[in-house]
Amino acid sequence: MIDTTIHPRFIEPHLLEALDDSPAVLIHGPRQCGKTTLARMVGASRGYRYVTFDDDVVRGAAADDPNGFAAALPERIIIDEVQKVPALFPALKMEIDRRRTPGRFLLTGSTHVLLVPRLSESLAGRLQTLRLHPLAQCELEQRDSHFPDALFAGDFSVERTERLGAQLPDRIVAGGYPAALARPPGRRRANWYLDHVEALVQRDVRDLTHVRHLEILPRLLAAAASQTARMFNVSELAAPFEVTRPTIRDYTTLLERVFLLETLPAWHGNRLSRLVKRPKLHLGDTGIAAALLGLDGPALAYDRALFGQLLETFVFQELRRQAGWHDARISFHHFRDKDGAEVDIVVERGAAALAGVEVKASGTVRTRDFRGLRKLRGAFGERFAGGVVLYDGEATVPFGDRLHAVPVGRLLRGS
């Protein structure tokens, strides 16, 4: 069992900077990913008080008189689950405009608060937002990862790394939620994930909007888990359900709002033609996906098709988590053209550099595995920083100019 009693959150220095710069800071991310723990740890050393809108009395007071509630708040305050009282946002704006003190409000939210236009407009220019994910593998290893830097440098030293082997499917099904990782692997951990999904549907999704068929959402999420790392196809997702495709699309949007699903947009640009423009679908965490699909490590290793899909999602989520504490702004896409060339994950660092990551659920790499990466390199020239095929092998080796085969262990272990 992974020991998660103490684990660093590598985004903490960015949170401290944000509190020095902005009057309000929002940590948002899925429930149980560690937002409250991080906020209270940081707040304890800076004299913050704490309230949570999970408390019915506190939530009722804020909803009944948001202006009075905001005016009575102490000098430094953590407000947990702030999305539960939307009426408070204009009141916080008024308080900030009266006294623009850096770090005055530290907020947490378990939904995409800023996707609600009137909320984002209320605090525009006054709020800095940080996304917190479930634990990254390198946080569990307690070793910061320099993989994004190596990727954009296009420079991986030739070396040998211990192959993960059977550890890899076990890591995939474990996921990254601290409370789940504190349980023994197998049924007890899977039960936590299933209970977590049910709680999110019954509580957070119900709070967002009225859903006529709330009972199908866990089944829809399980259907999405079977399609993770594939092109987003609403018709396929809708097929098992007696509801319309627009309804299924609305439901997937709700699941995105609570961070259970994520769509990876297709990369597009003028230098390449005949591009497939549909997004890819990814589960927010592979531990949830595996629990919904009834998979443990050995079962996942046996099902090679699902293993490949979940490994791609696992790598994508690890890169997303590591990007959260990277100094540069990093965005993610996928690339596929109508001739069949593809790159699983396209990583862009601002407008200056672009890199590609192909994921292979195998212990070997062939020249043909670099087809999509070579296409990107040819189209972007010097802007193409580097491309890697991540695989479950031992050797880091070059496959041409700025192209490398790299063991997936180098990404996950922070080396």
Side-chain angles (χ1 to χ4, degrees):
M1 183 171 65
I2 300 170
D3 180 7
T4 59
T5 304
I6 300 174
H7 40 70
R9 299 315 303 257
F10 294 144
I11 201 172
E12 184 177 336
H14 292 263
L15 174 57
L16 295 173
E17 287 179 0
L19 291 170
D20 289 338
D21 293 338
S22 300
V25 178
L26 170 68
I27 308 170
H28 72 162
R31 273 192 183 269
Q32 300 288 330
C33 75
K35 302 184 303 298
T36 303
T37 300
L38 176 61
R40 298 193 76 167
M41 275 178 43
V42 168
S45 62
R46 294 191 167 206
Y48 279 81
R49 301 280 295 279
Y50 171 82
V51 296
T52 176
F53 287 159
D54 277 337
D55 184 308
D56 292 342
V57 174
V58 176
R59 184 172 67 251
D64 287 346
D65 182 13
N67 291 331
F69 183 88
L73 290 172
E75 181 67 25
R76 291 178 178 268
I77 184 71
I78 298 168
I79 305 177
D80 207 5
E81 301 300 340
V82 70
Q83 80 282 349
K84 287 181 170 288
V85 186
L88 185 66
F89 280 71
L92 292 178
K93 173 184 179 296
M94 290 175 58
E95 285 301 307
I96 290 169
D97 290 345
R98 285 196 190 103
R99 190 169 74 256
R100 206 178 181 93
T101 305
R104 188 174 174 196
F105 299 109
L106 177 51
L107 315 173
T108 79
S110 295
T111 64
H112 275 290
V113 173
L114 299 184
L115 292 181
V116 182
R118 69 185 182 89
L119 300 187
S120 58
E121 290 165 7
S122 295
L123 292 178
R126 302 165 181 84
L127 177 73
Q128 185 167 341
T129 303
L130 298 175
R131 169 73 184 272
L132 189 69
H133 298 264
L135 288 162
Q137 294 296 302
C138 56
E139 288 176 317
L140 289 169
E141 297 280 347
Q142 300 192 16
R143 292 191 297 180
D144 196 354
S145 174
H146 301 288
F147 190 90
D149 294 323
L151 181 62
F152 283 110
D155 183 22
F156 288 90
S157 57
V158 176
E159 61 181 67
R160 298 194 75 81
T161 303
E162 183 182 354
R163 181 173 177 266
L164 289 171
Q167 288 185 43
L168 185 53
D170 287 342
R171 284 176 181 247
I172 291 171
V173 302
Y177 281 82
L181 292 168
R183 292 191 177 190
R187 176 178 51 82
R188 290 168 62 185
R189 185 177 290 167
N191 284 343
W192 186 92
Y193 279 120
L194 296 175
D195 291 343
H196 178 60
V197 169
E198 185 66 25
L200 284 176
V201 168
Q202 294 296 332
R203 181 172 51 189
D204 290 1
V205 174
R206 190 190 292 274
D207 287 347
L208 286 173
T209 187
H210 174 69
V211 179
R212 288 184 59 194
H213 303 283
L214 198 66
E215 74 283 354
I216 77 169
L217 285 176
R219 292 166 51 213
L220 175 60
L221 190 61
S226 70
Q227 294 190 29
T228 194
R230 288 169 54 182
M231 291 294 183
F232 183 28
N233 188 320
V234 175
S235 295
E236 284 189 21
L237 284 176
F241 307 104
E242 295 180 357
V243 295
T244 65
R245 282 182 295 175
T247 298
I248 291 296
R249 185 65 186 90
D250 290 343
Y251 287 1
T252 59
T253 299
L254 286 174
L255 293 172
E256 286 186 76
R257 288 275 301 276
V258 295
F259 304 100
L260 287 171
L261 284 181
E262 185 168 356
T263 51
L264 178 64
W267 190 92
H268 59 86
N270 297 326
R271 297 195 184 191
L272 290 166
S273 60
R274 293 172 48 79
L275 296 177
V276 174
K277 297 181 180 180
R278 276 196 295 159
K280 271 188 173 182
L281 187 67
H282 284 283
L283 265 286
D285 185 84
T286 54
I288 289 176
L292 289 165
L293 296 172
L295 296 170
D296 61 8
L300 178 61
Y302 181 77
D303 189 330
R304 300 306 295 177
L306 269 177
F307 181 44
Q309 290 173 234
L310 285 172
L311 176 59
E312 184 180 330
T313 291
F314 186 63
V315 167
F316 167 61
Q317 295 298 354
E318 182 68 17
L319 287 167
R320 290 272 286 125
R321 293 167 193 188
Q322 293 186 20
W325 60 79
H326 199 273
D327 287 338
R329 187 175 295 275
I330 294 176
S331 60
F332 294 88
H333 300 80
H334 77 91
F335 161 74
R336 181 178 295 183
D337 67 17
K338 294 180 181 177
D339 296 322
E342 62 181 310
V343 177
D344 293 328
I345 306 162
V346 177
V347 190
E348 286 192 282
R349 187 174 62 188
L354 175 148
V357 176
E358 185 72 12
V359 183
K360 191 175 182 197
S362 170
T364 59
V365 177
R366 301 283 186 265
T367 300
R368 62 177 177 268
D369 297 321
F370 290 85
R371 180 188 174 198
L373 292 167
R374 287 195 299 270
K375 197 156 196 173
L376 281 184
R377 184 186 62 188
F380 291 95
E382 291 304 311
R383 191 185 167 210
F384 180 81
V388 300
V389 173
L390 288 176
Y391 75 114
D392 187 24
E394 297 179 345
T396 299
V397 291
F399 268 78
D401 179 30
R402 290 166 288 170
L403 300 178
H404 292 83
V406 178
V408 70
R410 292 192 65 168
L411 166 67
L412 304 184
R413 290 169 172 161
S415 57

